[in-house]
Amino acid sequence: MVRSRKVLLVICYLGMAGFVSQGMSFGASFPTKSIDLYIPFAPGGISDTMGRALAPRLGEVLGQPIVPVNKPGASGALAVSLLSKAKPDGYTILIVSNSSLTVVPHFENLGYDPLADFNYLCKTYDQTSMLVVPTDSPWKTFEEVIDFAKKNPKKVKYGTWGQFSGVHIAMEAIGKEKGIEWGHIPFKGEGPVVPALLGKHVDLGVLAPGGVPHIKAGKLRLLLVLQGFRSKTFPDAPCFKDAGIKFNGKGSSELMSGIIAPKGLPSDIVKKYEDALKEAVKSPEFLKASATLGIEPQFLPGNEFRKEIEEGNRHVGAVIRQLDLKK
Amino acid sequence: MDFLGHLFVGFQVCLQPANLLLAFLGCLIGTLVGVLPGLGPTATISLLLPTSFHITPVGALILLSGIYYGAMYGGSTTSILVNIPGEAASVVTCLDGYEMAKRGRAGPALGIAAFASFIAGTASIVGLMLLAPPLAEMALKFGPPEYTTLMILGLTVLTFLVKGSMAKALLMAALGLFISTIGLDAVSGVARFSFNRAELMDGIGLVPVVMGLFGISEVLLNLEQAVGREILQGKFKDYLPTREDWRKSALPILRGSALGFVLGILPGGGAVLASFVSYAIEKKVSRYPEQFGSGAIEGVAGPEAANNSATGGAFIPLLTLGIPANVVMAILLGAMMIHGLQPGPNLINEHPDVFWGVITSMYLGNVMLLVLNLPLIGLWVQVLRVPYSLFFPLILLFCLIGAYSIANAAFDILIMIVFGIIGYLMKKTDYEGAPLVLALVLGNLFENALRQSLMLSDGSFLIFFQRPIAAVFIWASIIFLLIPLVPWLKKKRPAVGE
């Protein structure tokens, strides 16, 4: 009898421990325990730095610590996939790069619907993707590249950070529009593109934040920013409009990031997040990190961010069909 | 050549008490992390990255670099003592290091590993200091064709690793190549063998495979059969390498240092490849290659020198060009940017205190590590006395934690366990793990580089013979493959002449 009572007691303790560890909040308002911020890339990268810069102020406003958790994989799509399966209690959010929502779903089914499976909380920043050449390249302007490519089909080789990445799609669309054929050399990530350019193994390259230090150091020349409007980081560089390109980079070469959560979040929690995030993107840590990395912060409320992503997703789908890019 | 001036600036920075403490802390943490199977410098540096925000940029780099090269020192300890690599780059040290330990020579093995690491580490820093800019420029000449041919050479060299049956080893290599194809193909964008699972999109990671194949399997094997381990009962003097050991290790250390340094500079090369190639070279030039695999000290000295020298080499592209040579360097790059340091060719001009401060702290770090590791040898050897029944749960625990810490993914733990079982079966049937690991490391790199090269050359295979560096490698591979035929041809000739 004594033994079974002890066992019963132990089971009760264990049960309580398990119960308590779930962080049940009886009547207390959100949040009552720390929040996980999934970061879809490895530490040291842009998403990681920006996520960690956002966390302090966000945690302050919400009243609970924000814990950055790196979940790298599948170029950022793994974290998105994991988020879609997380509990919609507001304790798991993700800093997402738009390509996981506007490009990847057209090529792979990784278990999530980019629009239906998530609550969009806000947009945080933009990044400029750039077409660059080594400084000692004979081409000084984008027009010179196009001229050369017209006369020498298939000779010009450009490197990007991935096959069927948003910028690859954009480059193919631009090539078609200008009536040229250039060869895509896919690399694994942005890292290998820089030495390939500096070592003259490829003629052109597309870079985003990784290119900023090299452009500023004078090793790479920026020919074109791959978006329809001038970039704040490099205001003198030509954009699509300047180069007479009609292609719209929405969803593909226009890179943006925001915060999303699994669908089904109660509306009061969504509102709390929107207000808190509005504060967090104004924080000195966030602004300082943006300036250092060449990021352009921009806050948009959740529903507007969703509209951007929706538009981008649709647009990329249309471009893929037009270019017949399906593998 | 204002080196003394540069060194003066550097030592001024790194001898500041705060930075000295950080260097020591980094080395200590690095050694611990290296010794513990599973935890690696990548995970640790990522974990400590946020805490580094509160210290100066130089301090942060000193701390994080210390962890990196400290881990390379520590990684050999468990390889030698319990046949479980602490790092992927220490896999090769298991081959002969553990055999030495089984024969009661754990102390000298650990000692030679520590000294080799020190000599190689210091040499690589000297190389870094003197040759950084020209070497970095040379590294830029390595494009896809050069990588392709280098990988071909690496795969060819694989055959020298084989202890037993060649057919079995080649089978394992083929398996390694197959496993390396799993995941999203970088060139065609097609997901191979991923079963639509996001976790498999990036393929099977190297670290969980190594930990499973060598770590978990070893534990499983030892649970089944009690392995007799003679523990040296001698004095501290006997824990150190003898003069004979030194004589044998001198040239391997030199070769390993040079090899590791060069391979470390190449983005994508690194300590793992360097250690494998060093082992193969030592076996090839040795006068008694059949002893490799049963405790040849050259098989410890060379690879240990190589993997430490590679860490020094890996800093070159980062500090001179702002290009990371491996994952750890990529994290350090991020750390630099967070701290407001623009990595790139101007770093040495804009922040000479950072550049030279980090380099000089690496000298100090290597000295600290030698001082840390040598006395610990006696302690480590005593650890072997711990009954295995107490020991193995700890090993398993660290492996599990380590596997998860790579990417916060439970999937990696699953991979580790699966390969643990596979490794156990392999050990029971005399299939070797080293060829599998090397093929796994090289497979992906080789395939991507090959296809990128062919895209650059519009389909022509001549590109590998037309570019000078690539041509050197491919001819070397061809020669390596043909050399074994020579005695066979010689034998044939008299028969033909009759």
Side-chain angles (χ1 to χ4, degrees):
Chain A
M1 263 317 283
V2 177
R3 189 133 39 112
S4 57
R5 204 155 44 140
K6 270 199 192 158
V7 171
L8 204 60
L9 265 176
V10 171
I11 293 178
C12 283
Y13 282 136
L14 288 175
M16 264 169 49
F19 212 47
V20 165
S21 75
Q22 289 309 306
M24 298 280 265
S25 45
F26 295 102
S29 62
F30 175 85
T32 56
K33 60 178 176 135
S34 65
I35 296 167
D36 281 341
L37 170 66
Y38 280 1
I39 300 179
F41 294 96
I46 298 294
S47 300
D48 180 69
T49 312
M50 298 308 291
R52 289 177 194 272
L54 197 66
R57 188 87 182 99
L58 184 65
E60 230 177 73
V61 173
L62 284 174
Q64 286 286 338
I66 310 283
V67 180
V69 180
N70 295 86
K71 297 263 184 194
S75 309
L78 176 62
V80 180
S81 167
L82 290 172
L83 184 80
S84 68
K85 302 188 186 74
K87 260 205 293 192
D89 54 5
Y91 290 99
T92 321
I93 56 176
L94 171 85
I95 181 166
V96 70
S97 300
N98 65 340
S99 62
S100 311
L101 301 168
T102 58
V103 180
V104 174
H106 292 289
F107 293 102
E108 292 295 334
N109 176 6
L110 290 173
Y112 62 87
D113 179 323
L115 295 161
D117 285 341
F118 303 105
N119 260 115
Y120 283 67
L121 297 177
C122 82
K123 173 181 167 186
T124 48
Y125 58 85
D126 287 307
Q127 282 180 56
T128 312
S129 60
M130 314 176 276
L131 186 65
V132 295
V133 288
T135 325
D136 49 2
S137 156
W139 301 318
K140 307 261 183 310
T141 67
F142 179 64
E143 280 71 33
E144 284 175 30
V145 177
I146 301 294
D147 280 336
F148 183 88
K150 279 207 176 110
K151 300 193 192 97
N152 304 280
K154 296 207 182 137
K155 272 269 170 230
V156 175
K157 309 272 192 247
Y158 69 92
T160 70
W161 57 66
Q163 181 79 351
F164 301 132
S165 58
V167 293
H168 171 212
I169 295 172
M171 289 291 283
E172 290 297 307
I174 295 170
K176 184 155 183 206
E177 194 186 319
K178 291 282 179 182
I180 55 168
E181 275 182 85
W182 46 19
H184 177 230
I185 309 286
F187 289 92
K188 246 183 154 168
E190 206 187 2
V193 180
V194 177
L197 274 167
L198 295 176
K200 312 269 194 330
H201 304 290
V202 291
D203 309 299
L204 296 169
V206 179
L207 294 170
V212 172
H214 298 278
I215 296 173
K216 289 207 170 129
K219 285 270 171 156
L220 292 177
R221 181 184 304 136
L222 174 52
L223 292 182
L224 184 74
V225 291
L226 296 174
Q227 52 193 35
F229 44 91
R230 291 276 177 107
S231 142
K232 292 197 198 88
T233 323
F234 294 104
D236 297 322
C239 63
F240 284 161
K241 240 193 260 184
D242 301 312
I245 295 174
K246 291 190 225 88
F247 173 71
N248 181 346
K250 270 214 177 327
S252 58
S253 56
E254 279 178 28
L255 310 170
M256 63 175 75
S257 290
I259 308 284
I260 58 175
K263 72 166 184 281
L265 219 58
S267 48
D268 59 326
I269 296 185
V270 175
K271 182 84 180 60
K272 259 204 169 127
Y273 263 120
E274 289 208 342
D275 294 334
L277 285 164
K278 205 170 190 170
E279 276 301 307
V281 299
K282 290 193 230 145
S283 75
E285 293 99 356
F286 192 76
L287 294 173
K288 178 159 167 262
S290 314
T292 317
L293 297 170
I295 302 281
E296 291 145 29
Q298 192 202 31
F299 176 83
L300 279 182
N303 51 354
E304 284 182 47
F305 182 43
R306 175 186 281 274
K307 268 201 237 132
E308 297 263 330
I309 297 292
E310 217 169 342
E311 216 189 302
N313 186 308
R314 240 182 312 126
H315 181 67
V316 170
V319 174
I320 292 173
R321 276 191 296 276
Q322 210 187 1
L323 293 174
D324 202 20
L325 267 181
K326 280 284 190 185
K327 41 188 166 174
Chain B
M1 287 270 159
D2 189 19
F3 283 117
L4 287 179
H6 293 318
L7 284 177
F8 187 67
V9 167
F11 276 111
Q12 255 189 328
V13 171
C14 79
L15 285 174
Q16 284 166 18
N19 291 335
L20 266 179
L21 183 64
L22 285 168
F24 181 71
L25 210 60
C27 291
L28 189 64
I29 298 175
T31 310
L32 266 168
V33 161
V35 167
L36 294 172
L39 288 174
T42 321
T44 319
I45 293 178
S46 325
L47 280 172
L48 287 176
L49 197 61
T51 54
S52 78
F53 293 160
H54 304 290
I55 48 184
T56 65
V58 184
L61 281 178
I62 289 177
L63 175 70
L64 299 175
S65 323
I67 298 176
Y68 179 47
Y69 51 84
M72 286 303 163
Y73 268 80
S76 47
T77 308
T78 42
S79 305
I80 292 170
L81 292 180
V82 287
N83 206 22
I84 296 176
E87 290 297 308
S90 311
V91 167
V92 182
T93 315
C94 290
L95 297 176
D96 277 84
Y98 184 58
E99 291 297 320
M100 284 180 73
K102 280 206 281 194
R103 286 164 178 70
R105 302 206 68 223
L110 290 168
I112 267 293
F115 279 112
S117 302
F118 174 69
I119 295 169
T122 312
S124 74
I125 300 168
V126 172
L128 167 59
M129 219 181 64
L130 297 174
L131 299 170
L135 278 177
E137 288 298 321
M138 220 205 65
L140 284 180
K141 293 214 170 53
F142 269 74
E146 286 73 24
Y147 276 103
T148 313
T149 50
L150 180 64
M151 298 301 146
I152 293 178
L153 188 59
L155 286 168
T156 319
V157 145
L158 187 157
T159 54
F160 295 132
L161 295 172
V162 178
K163 271 194 271 195
S165 153
M166 183 63 76
K168 281 181 173 178
L170 289 178
L171 193 62
M172 287 296 103
L175 184 62
L177 285 179
F178 166 67
I179 295 172
S180 77
T181 63
I182 297 176
L184 190 70
D185 172 37
V187 176
S188 68
V190 172
R192 306 190 286 204
F193 299 109
S194 67
F195 301 101
N196 260 335
R197 297 198 59 107
E199 294 90 342
L200 283 171
M201 278 293 159
D202 287 320
I204 308 275
L206 178 67
V207 178
V209 168
V210 167
M211 277 161 47
L213 219 51
F214 292 93
I216 306 284
S217 69
E218 184 66 18
V219 169
L220 289 175
L221 198 69
N222 286 334
L223 287 175
E224 203 187 28
Q225 0 156 308
V227 177
R229 283 194 302 257
E230 299 155 41
I231 299 164
L232 199 62
Q233 301 284 348
K235 300 195 282 276
F236 182 67
K237 199 159 46 74
D238 297 329
Y239 290 161
L240 291 178
T242 64
R243 189 169 295 193
E244 177 71 14
D245 292 330
W246 273 106
R247 195 182 55 81
K248 286 192 202 165
S249 308
L251 283 178
I253 292 177
L254 274 150
R255 284 191 282 258
S257 306
L259 184 72
F261 186 62
V262 170
L263 283 176
I265 300 176
L266 297 176
V272 181
L273 184 61
S275 61
F276 274 100
V277 176
S278 167
Y279 187 85
I281 289 180
E282 292 313 317
K283 189 169 175 189
K284 193 72 197 136
V285 305
S286 164
R287 266 171 292 180
Y288 33 85
E290 65 288 343
Q291 278 192 23
F292 275 73
S294 9
I297 199 161
E298 297 90 331
V300 174
E304 276 302 307
N307 73 21
N308 268 77
S309 171
T311 59
F315 277 91
I316 291 185
L318 180 69
L319 292 175
T320 54
L321 294 173
I323 297 172
N326 57 41
V327 180
V328 173
M329 293 297 130
I331 301 177
L332 288 181
L333 182 75
M336 286 168 82
M337 290 181 85
I338 295 171
H339 282 275
L341 297 168
Q342 282 284 9
N346 279 337
L347 185 72
I348 188 172
N349 298 320
E350 280 173 20
H351 298 276
D353 53 331
V354 172
F355 186 85
W356 294 107
V358 171
I359 292 181
T360 47
S361 83
M362 283 163 74
Y363 277 124
L364 283 182
N366 268 287
V367 173
M368 282 187 210
L369 282 164
L370 190 66
V371 166
L372 259 178
N373 279 291
L374 279 180
L376 284 178
I377 292 177
L379 182 69
W380 294 131
V381 171
Q382 298 300 322
V383 159
L384 284 176
R385 287 201 204 180
V386 173
Y388 206 68
S389 52
L390 292 178
F391 208 38
F392 84 84
L394 280 177
I395 297 178
L396 279 180
L397 183 66
F398 283 120
C399 284
L400 287 170
I401 298 175
Y404 186 74
S405 71
I406 302 166
N408 291 323
F411 186 68
D412 288 333
I413 300 183
L414 184 66
I415 296 287
M416 187 181 73
I417 295 173
V418 166
F419 276 91
I421 298 172
I422 294 177
Y424 165 71
L425 293 170
M426 278 166 63
K427 285 190 179 183
K428 296 215 45 133
T429 48
D430 282 329
Y431 279 88
E432 296 173 54
L436 196 156
V437 171
L438 184 61
L440 183 60
V441 167
L442 295 179
N444 221 300
L445 295 169
F446 168 63
E447 196 193 354
N448 286 339
L450 175 67
R451 289 151 83 206
Q452 283 166 350
S453 308
L454 291 176
M455 284 162 95
L456 283 172
S457 70
D458 293 316
S460 160
F461 278 89
L462 286 176
I463 192 171
F464 302 118
F465 294 93
Q466 285 164 341
R467 291 163 67 125
I469 303 178
V472 166
F473 287 136
I474 200 148
W475 280 114
S477 311
I478 294 175
I479 293 172
F480 268 122
L481 284 173
L482 292 178
I483 281 181
L485 284 178
V486 171
W488 180 80
L489 283 170
K490 278 202 181 134
K491 261 199 288 174
K492 272 253 167 182
R493 250 197 266 137
V496 171
E498 272 161 31

